């Protein structure tokens, strides 16, 4: 039994007026800024060892750059819908971009790891406001329906994930501070583009309260998707935040590895995942991809250096597939308004993204370098178990759900 997804009957690759590449300037401006926003996630990957050396910090201290960023992002999910439903999508995007420009710039001036962790927290708040609103804006302004909009958003995510480590390596080879300054400059350009090309989006008829995302998690399907994504994100961010210390490579080499990882992520999320879903169904694809990811991280943890490099890159394929399927599940599995449902979903899953970078190096300190990957493999399997055990709740049968979502006047809050 397959899971219907948003835009399931549309052809996003149609070259006509509604095709993926034939979009208004407002869509391209928002998608371009989204690329830079997602670059900020993996930007620090190749320079983590350099930051640790420059600020005389331990791997577990430097990993807090991810923890503070995603912890604030998770909590901000309760706020983003509240804010955007009152001031509108464009102003929310600009507020988020402005915060990123300020805090990314300040991060480059940090004199201690504590200051850098704090500035990354402020950066996380700005990124949450921007990224949580970007998909809604793209959906509202895009030609070709929600399928084209989602794939354009996933393309921005994949490109950002690929280019972030590359930019971090290129600028970080001279100084670990330069990638932060570079991000601030790029986000400033994004601010100007959105100001110039994006018109204000209509506000929802009903304002979102701070508790609405929590209430939405009372839906069994959405709670199941969030629980599975929680375990999966622990695995995802163990790979992203802990692997650079295991590879122990120069910024250039580490950046090249994660660039290849990001390319696979982009290709599999945009091109491969939709075709696999069409043939096998979303839940089978998701469960199988999680099991393969578990096997991949085990080999990463126990193999030699070459195997670790190959498995790091290969994990991008499984992560790309998972991201796309989880996105569509969160958007379509419940009958709650998209902004509310996906805010609750993100609230849960981003806590795992905050936990993994902190616990992985701690687990290594308590045991050895292999065990963090054993834990990551187990959490990926737990994600698959939740999908299997809750498959009935994750498969909705409301035929009018897509139509109801398509007519909603609101801001979708989703960030991969």
């Amino acid at each position: 039994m397959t899971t219907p997804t948003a835009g399931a009957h549309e052809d996003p690759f149609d070259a006509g007026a509604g095709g993926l590449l034939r979009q208004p300037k407002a869509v391209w401006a928002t998608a371009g800024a989204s690329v830079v926003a997602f670059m900020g996630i993996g930007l620090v990957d190749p320079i983590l060892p350099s930051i640790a050396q420059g600020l005389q910090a331990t791997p577990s201290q430097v990993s807090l750059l991810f923890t503070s960023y995603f912890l604030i992002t998770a909590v901000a999910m309760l706020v983003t819908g509240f804010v955007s439903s009152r001031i509108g999508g464009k102003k929310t995007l600009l507020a988020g971009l402005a915060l990123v420009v300020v805090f990314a710039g300040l991060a480059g001036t940090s004199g201690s790891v504590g200051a850098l962790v704090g500035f990354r927290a402020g950066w996380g708040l700005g990124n949450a406001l921007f990224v949580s609103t970007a998909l809604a804006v793209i959906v509202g302004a895009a030609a070709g329906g929600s399928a084209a909009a989602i794939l354009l958003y996933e393309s921005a995510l994949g490109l950002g994930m690929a280019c972030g480590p590359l930019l971090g390596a290129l600028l970080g080879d001279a100084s670990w501070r330069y990638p932060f300054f570079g991000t601030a400059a790029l986000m400033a350009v994004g601010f100007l583009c959105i100001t110039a090309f994006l018109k204000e989006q209509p506000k929802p008829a009903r304002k979102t309260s701070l508790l609405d995302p929590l209430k939405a998690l009372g839906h069994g399907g959405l709670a199941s998707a969030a629980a599975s994504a929680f375990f999966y994100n622990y695995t995802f961010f163990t790979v992203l935040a802990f692997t650079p210390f295991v590879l122990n490579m120069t910024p250039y080499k580490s950046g090249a590895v994660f660039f290849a990882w990001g390319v696979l992520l982009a290709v599999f999320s945009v091109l491969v995942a939709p075709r696999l879903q069409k043939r096998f169904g979303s839940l089978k694809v998701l469960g199988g991809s999680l099991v393969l990811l578990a096997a991949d991280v085990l080999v990463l943890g126990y193999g030699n250096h070459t195997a670790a490099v190959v498995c790091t890159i290969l994990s991008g394929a499984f992560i790309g597939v998972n991201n796309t399927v989880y996105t569509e599940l969160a958007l379509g599995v419940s009958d709650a308004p998209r902004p509310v449902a996906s805010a609750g979903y993100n609230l849960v899953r981003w806590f795992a993204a905050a936990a993994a970078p902190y616990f992985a190096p701690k687990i290594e300190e308590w045991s050895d370098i292999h065990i963090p990957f054993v834990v990551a493999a187990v959490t990926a399997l737990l994600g698959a178990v939740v999908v299997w055990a809750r498959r009935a709740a994750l498969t909705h049968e409301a035929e009018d759900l897509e139509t109801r979502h398509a007519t909603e006047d609101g801001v979708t809050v989703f960030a991969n």
Side-chain angles (χ1 to χ4, degrees), residues 351-394:
F351 274 113
Y358 175 77
F359 283 111
K362 287 293 185 183
I363 292 171
E364 181 199 9
E365 293 174 7
W366 299 332
S367 54
D368 61 54
I369 200 168
H370 307 297
I371 303 304
F373 294 101
V374 174
V375 175
V378 170
T379 55
L381 291 176
L382 287 174
V385 168
V386 172
V387 170
W388 178 82
R390 299 289 297 167
R391 60 192 180 278
L394 288 169

Side-chain angles (χ1 to χ4, degrees), residues 17 38 120 146 224 262 358 368 388:
F38 287 120
R120 277 283 284 184
S146 61
S224 300
Y358 175 77
D368 61 54
W388 178 82

Side-chain angles (χ1 to χ4, degrees), residues 112-132:
S112 68
V113 69
L116 184 54
V117 168
F119 292 140
R120 277 283 284 184
W123 186 344
L125 174 60
N127 218 48
L129 288 170
F130 176 82
V131 174
S132 65

Side-chain angles (χ1 to χ4, degrees), residues 181-406:
F181 295 138
T183 300
L186 288 173
M187 287 303 244
V189 173
F191 184 98
L192 295 175
C193 290
I194 288 178
T195 301
F197 297 119
L198 181 64
K199 296 179 180 180
E200 183 56 80
Q201 304 295 295
K203 297 178 184 178
R206 177 182 175 274
K207 290 181 172 64
T208 301
S209 78
L210 294 176
L211 295 180
D212 281 351
L214 296 176
K215 294 177 182 177
L217 289 170
H219 184 277
L222 184 62
S224 300
S228 177
F230 175 89
F231 292 119
Y232 156 66
N233 269 264
Y234 186 95
T235 307
F236 177 0
F237 286 93
T238 296
V239 173
L240 191 63
F242 183 65
T243 303
F245 293 106
V246 176
L247 297 180
N248 193 26
M249 302 166 78
T250 65
Y252 274 128
K253 291 181 179 179
S254 183
V257 168
F258 279 96
F259 174 72
W261 169 86
V263 168
L264 275 186
L265 188 154
V267 169
F268 274 75
S269 64
V270 176
L271 300 178
V272 178
R275 288 165 171 78
L276 290 176
Q277 288 174 273
K278 185 177 181 180
R279 181 170 181 179
F280 300 107
S282 295
L283 299 187
K284 289 181 180 179
V285 170
L286 182 58
S289 181
L290 288 168
V291 171
L292 291 173
L293 179 61
D296 181 80
V297 296
L298 269 183
V299 177
L300 195 165
Y302 281 93
N304 58 24
H305 190 266
T306 300
V309 170
V310 171
C311 288
T312 298
I313 295 172
L314 183 60
S315 70
F318 307 124
I319 289 169
V321 170
N322 294 338
N323 284 350
T324 293
V325 180
Y326 276 119
T327 299
E328 296 182 355
L329 282 177
L331 290 176
V333 75
S334 79
D335 56 0
R338 280 180 171 177
V340 174
S342 39
Y345 164 84
N346 280 291
L347 171 69
V348 174
R349 77 186 188 102
W350 285 126
F351 274 113
Y358 175 77
F359 283 111
K362 287 293 185 183
I363 292 171
E364 181 199 9
E365 293 174 7
W366 299 332
S367 54
D368 61 54
I369 200 168
H370 307 297
I371 303 304
F373 294 101
V374 174
V375 175
V378 170
T379 55
L381 291 176
L382 287 174
V385 168
V386 172
V387 170
W388 178 82
R390 299 289 297 167
R391 60 192 180 278
L394 288 169
T395 306
H396 67 76
E397 299 177 3
E399 294 181 357
D400 64 335
L401 186 59
E402 182 182 333
T403 302
R404 183 160 64 252
H405 276 167

